[in-house]
Amino acid sequence: MCYVYILKCRDDSLYTGYTVDLEKRLLTHNKGKASKYTRGRLPVVLVYFEEFSNQSDALKREYAIKQMKRAKKLKMINGVVL
Protein backbone atom coordinates (compact mmCIF):
# COMPACT_ATOMS: atom_id res chain seq x y z
CA MET A 1 0.00 0.00 0.00
CA CYS A 2 0.96 3.61 -0.55
CA TYR A 3 -0.21 6.46 1.64
CA VAL A 4 -0.68 10.20 1.34
CA TYR A 5 -0.77 11.88 4.72
CA ILE A 6 -1.17 15.24 6.38
CA LEU A 7 0.66 16.16 9.57
CA LYS A 8 -0.18 19.00 11.91
CA CYS A 9 3.00 20.64 13.17
CA ARG A 10 3.64 22.34 16.50
CA ASP A 11 3.23 25.77 14.87
CA ASP A 12 -0.22 24.69 13.54
CA SER A 13 1.04 24.42 9.97
CA LEU A 14 0.18 21.43 7.80
CA TYR A 15 2.61 19.16 5.99
CA THR A 16 1.57 16.75 3.22
CA GLY A 17 3.67 13.77 2.20
CA TYR A 18 3.75 10.31 0.64
CA THR A 19 5.06 7.01 2.03
CA VAL A 20 4.75 3.24 1.84
CA ASP A 21 5.05 2.80 5.64
CA LEU A 22 2.93 5.31 7.52
CA GLU A 23 3.94 4.36 11.06
CA LYS A 24 7.66 4.36 10.27
CA ARG A 25 7.39 7.68 8.44
CA LEU A 26 5.61 9.35 11.37
CA LEU A 27 8.32 8.12 13.75
CA THR A 28 11.00 9.39 11.38
CA HIS A 29 9.33 12.81 11.21
CA ASN A 30 9.18 13.05 15.00
CA LYS A 31 12.86 12.11 15.26
CA GLY A 32 13.62 15.13 13.08
CA LYS A 33 15.00 13.04 10.23
CA ALA A 34 12.19 12.97 7.65
CA SER A 35 12.01 16.46 6.19
CA LYS A 36 13.65 19.81 6.61
CA TYR A 37 10.22 21.47 6.95
CA THR A 38 9.00 19.39 9.89
CA ARG A 39 12.39 19.22 11.63
CA GLY A 40 11.93 22.69 13.11
CA ARG A 41 8.24 22.22 13.88
CA LEU A 42 8.25 19.15 16.11
CA PRO A 43 6.33 17.36 17.36
CA VAL A 44 4.03 16.52 14.48
CA VAL A 45 0.71 14.67 14.67
CA LEU A 46 -0.91 12.60 11.94
CA VAL A 47 -4.30 14.20 11.22
CA TYR A 48 -5.26 12.62 7.88
CA PHE A 49 -4.28 9.87 5.47
CA GLU A 50 -5.51 8.09 2.37
CA GLU A 51 -4.51 4.63 1.06
CA PHE A 52 -3.66 3.84 -2.55
CA SER A 53 -2.84 0.59 -4.29
CA ASN A 54 -0.09 2.13 -6.42
CA GLN A 55 2.54 4.84 -6.19
CA SER A 56 1.36 6.76 -9.23
CA ASP A 57 -2.11 7.43 -7.83
CA ALA A 58 -0.68 8.34 -4.42
CA LEU A 59 1.77 10.85 -5.88
CA LYS A 60 -0.96 12.44 -8.01
CA ARG A 61 -3.14 12.82 -4.92
CA GLU A 62 -0.25 14.23 -2.89
CA TYR A 63 0.28 16.88 -5.56
CA ALA A 64 -3.45 17.70 -5.65
CA ILE A 65 -3.58 18.13 -1.87
CA LYS A 66 -0.49 20.33 -1.90
CA GLN A 67 -2.26 22.63 -4.37
CA MET A 68 -5.26 23.08 -2.05
CA LYS A 69 -5.74 26.14 0.11
CA ARG A 70 -5.41 25.58 3.86
CA ALA A 71 -9.16 26.02 4.44
CA LYS A 72 -9.98 23.23 2.00
CA LYS A 73 -7.40 20.93 3.63
CA LEU A 74 -8.93 21.61 7.05
CA LYS A 75 -12.40 20.75 5.75
CA MET A 76 -11.04 17.52 4.30
CA ILE A 77 -9.29 16.67 7.60
CA ASN A 78 -12.52 17.35 9.51
CA GLY A 79 -14.52 15.05 7.23
CA VAL A 80 -16.50 17.68 5.36
CA VAL A 81 -17.50 16.28 1.98
CA LEU A 82 -15.96 18.34 -0.81
Side-chain angles (χ1 to χ4, degrees):
M1 293 305 276
C2 300
Y3 301 90
V4 173
Y5 61 92
I6 300 177
L7 303 176
K8 186 173 185 179
C9 302
R10 181 187 67 216
D11 66 356
D12 209 33
S13 63
L14 300 173
Y15 174 87
T16 303
Y18 153 85
T19 187
V20 295
D21 188 338
L22 196 53
E23 288 182 39
K24 182 178 177 185
R25 188 68 173 162
L26 182 58
L27 289 172
T28 306
H29 272 290
N30 276 313
K31 289 179 183 176
K33 298 181 184 229
S35 81
K36 193 174 184 179
Y37 183 84
T38 59
R39 190 175 304 141
R41 295 167 170 84
L42 298 176
V44 296
V45 177
L46 179 68
V47 292
Y48 183 83
F49 73 92
E50 295 178 11
E51 288 184 1
F52 295 88
S53 59
N54 64 69
Q55 181 181 17
S56 177
D57 289 344
L59 291 173
K60 287 175 188 174
R61 181 62 172 154
E62 177 192 21
Y63 178 79
I65 291 172
K66 286 183 174 184
Q67 302 310 303
M68 291 178 186
K69 300 283 185 189
R70 178 181 172 85
K72 189 170 182 179
K73 290 179 191 179
L74 290 173
K75 285 180 183 178
M76 186 175 67
I77 290 166
N78 292 318
V80 176
V81 179
L82 304 174

